[in-house]
Amino acid sequence: MSETLHYDVVVAGGGLVGASAARALAERGLKVALFERRYCGAQASGVNYGGVRCQGRPEEQLPLAMRARRVWDRLPELIGIDGEFVRSGHLRLARRESDLEPLDKWSAMAANYGLSSTVFRGAEFRQRFPWLGDGAVGGSLCMSDGHANPRLVSPAFARAARALGADVRERTPITSIAHDGKHFQLTAQPEAGDALHVSSNWLLNTSGAWANHIAGTFGERVPMHAIYPNMWVTEPLPRFVGHSLGVYGGGVYARQVERGNCVIGGGRGTGDGEYAQPSADTTRAVMREACALLPALRNALLIRTWSGVEGETPDDNPIIGMSRTTPQLVHAFGFCGGGFLLAPGVGEVLADLVTQGQTATPIDAFAVDRFAKVGAPA
């Protein structure tokens, strides 16, 4: 090995969570290295739907979601671009009358956290949203939500971390990792050149769907499996979608960008745990449902489909927090397809844990050992 490097913090994984953590830590004056085996933001962080959505999240996520949402308003200041972030509002649709009561209950609960949403139904719903079809009977509108371009946002956080002094190394996978009782000892192999020996005081496990490789090394493997969200985009269409859309109970989501293209998603693609590809059958089935909600899509040409690899946990909540087995190891992964909004806030929380030993944002519900406590398989 030709080089030995020491850092205050090593971040393993260059998705949006890892890059935002590296940026926040570098801003606080720590010596940080981020290692990414491919390119920063090229995995789930860069190929997701792009929803910046607090609405519809479980109550335990709302404090973190609200903190993260405030970060999105500061993107130009933090990363030098706005990431095409649009405060479009998020409309969560009800497909049947029985879906409206849960929307009412969620709206009342979210108000306790300072999040405002309004439920529309009947004639008022039809009058306000004439561009929707008969597939929806009502919906809840949260105007503080929106959407952004993940292909721009995720790499920009990595560039911002580098600009603040973080050592960001792409195409440099970590090939071995251990803790010697005082420091983490790692080996990283650049695509070109000699292997690197690295030591650090702290290690952040932000490796997404592959994070169990590190968690398992330290006896904290969690019951997580890979999922492959299925998405596609249409040709540019006249502007008609007024808000970013979701559906109570899931199934389809859609948004329209400034150029007129409609980004639509729903169902699952296929994959082998390492790579993903979209499913034509899923796309056709979900597109029929999308057309029932948005009649203007019926003659639209689809120009591209894609998928990505994300980690999903049994309770649909991420893993965020301190290791229970190893000092100064912190986990943040398993975002179940909903991490795009959360990631910049998670980066700040991880920086809190490293620099302060705690965070004011409640994260107990996301503890790495919560499944072991109920006897789930490791």
Side-chain angles (χ1 to χ4, degrees):
M1 297 185 186
S2 63
E3 193 173 359
T4 300
L5 303 167
H6 180 78
Y7 301 93
D8 297 320
V9 186
V10 162
V11 181
L16 186 50
V17 171
S20 62
R23 196 213 67 82
L25 288 162
E27 184 178 50
R28 299 186 193 193
L30 278 73
K31 186 178 181 182
V32 182
L34 185 155
F35 291 92
E36 166 55 45
R37 61 178 181 155
R38 294 175 184 161
Y39 292 95
C40 290
Q43 303 302 315
S45 293
V47 300
N48 63 81
Y49 167 71
V52 181
R53 171 188 61 83
C54 293
Q55 181 166 219
R57 293 182 181 272
E59 184 172 4
E60 60 270 22
Q61 287 189 18
L62 283 183
L64 176 59
M66 295 296 283
R67 178 175 183 175
R69 176 61 187 82
R70 291 190 290 271
V71 178
W72 282 91
D73 287 329
R74 300 172 55 215
L75 286 191
E77 166 196 343
L78 297 176
I79 63 174
I81 62 171
D82 65 7
E84 296 182 4
F85 173 56
V86 177
R87 187 176 174 271
S88 63
H90 179 265
L91 182 60
R92 193 179 187 204
L93 297 172
R95 286 175 286 200
R96 54 191 69 86
E97 293 293 335
S98 60
D99 293 341
L100 290 169
E101 182 179 357
L103 294 182
D104 287 330
K105 289 182 177 179
W106 190 91
S107 181
M109 178 275 293
N112 296 323
Y113 294 88
L115 184 61
S116 176
S117 60
T118 304
V119 179
F120 298 91
R121 47 175 44 88
E124 184 183 17
F125 175 74
R126 290 291 166 209
Q127 182 178 5
R128 186 175 178 103
F129 309 108
W131 41 274
L132 288 168
D134 294 336
V137 301
S140 174
L141 179 61
C142 180
M143 279 305 302
S144 57
D145 286 345
H147 55 83
N149 188 336
R151 291 183 177 274
L152 298 178
V153 173
S154 300
F157 267 92
R159 291 195 300 271
R162 182 181 283 120
L164 288 168
D167 186 2
V168 177
R169 297 184 181 238
E170 297 180 304
R171 294 181 295 173
T172 307
I174 294 171
T175 57
S176 69
I177 186 168
H179 193 272
D180 65 9
K182 185 176 181 181
H183 297 114
F184 291 95
Q185 302 292 339
L186 306 93
T187 303
Q189 179 59 61
E191 190 174 84
D194 296 332
L196 307 174
H197 179 257
V198 178
S199 68
S200 68
N201 301 333
W202 289 80
L203 175 65
L204 305 189
N205 177 16
T206 61
S207 301
W210 302 272
N212 263 333
H213 294 310
I214 294 177
T217 298
F218 297 101
E220 294 185 301
R221 186 176 182 86
V222 302
M224 179 178 70
H225 66 275
I227 58 173
Y228 313 101
N230 199 76
M231 290 158 283
W232 56 97
V233 64
T234 73
E235 63 183 322
L237 300 171
R239 293 297 299 273
F240 70 99
V241 180
H243 307 288
S244 181
L245 302 178
V247 177
Y248 177 78
V252 63
Y253 38 92
R255 63 185 178 92
Q256 190 171 23
V257 302
E258 184 65 30
R259 294 175 294 277
N261 308 77
C262 290
V263 182
I264 310 164
R268 295 286 184 246
T270 60
D272 59 4
E274 186 70 17
Y275 296 99
Q277 63 181 31
S279 164
D281 290 341
T282 298
T283 299
R284 282 191 289 265
V286 178
M287 192 63 181
R288 285 192 289 270
E289 183 176 355
C291 289
L293 296 171
L294 297 167
L297 290 175
R298 287 174 182 163
N299 295 314
L301 176 67
L302 305 188
I303 61 175
R304 184 168 64 91
T305 63
W306 70 94
S307 184
V309 185
E310 173 64 293
E312 184 175 68
T313 66
D315 63 3
D316 290 324
N317 271 324
I319 308 295
I320 306 172
M322 301 293 296
S323 166
R324 301 301 197 233
T325 66
T326 308
Q328 300 185 175
L329 168 63
V330 189
H331 300 293
F333 61 89
F335 286 87
C336 308
F340 189 58
L341 160 81
L342 295 177
V346 174
E348 290 193 348
V349 165
L350 299 182
D352 291 345
L353 294 176
V354 171
T355 59
Q356 304 169 22
Q358 61 184 354
T359 181
T361 302
I363 58 171
D364 289 349
F366 315 132
V368 66
D369 61 345
R370 67 183 185 270
F371 302 110
K373 291 177 181 177
V374 296

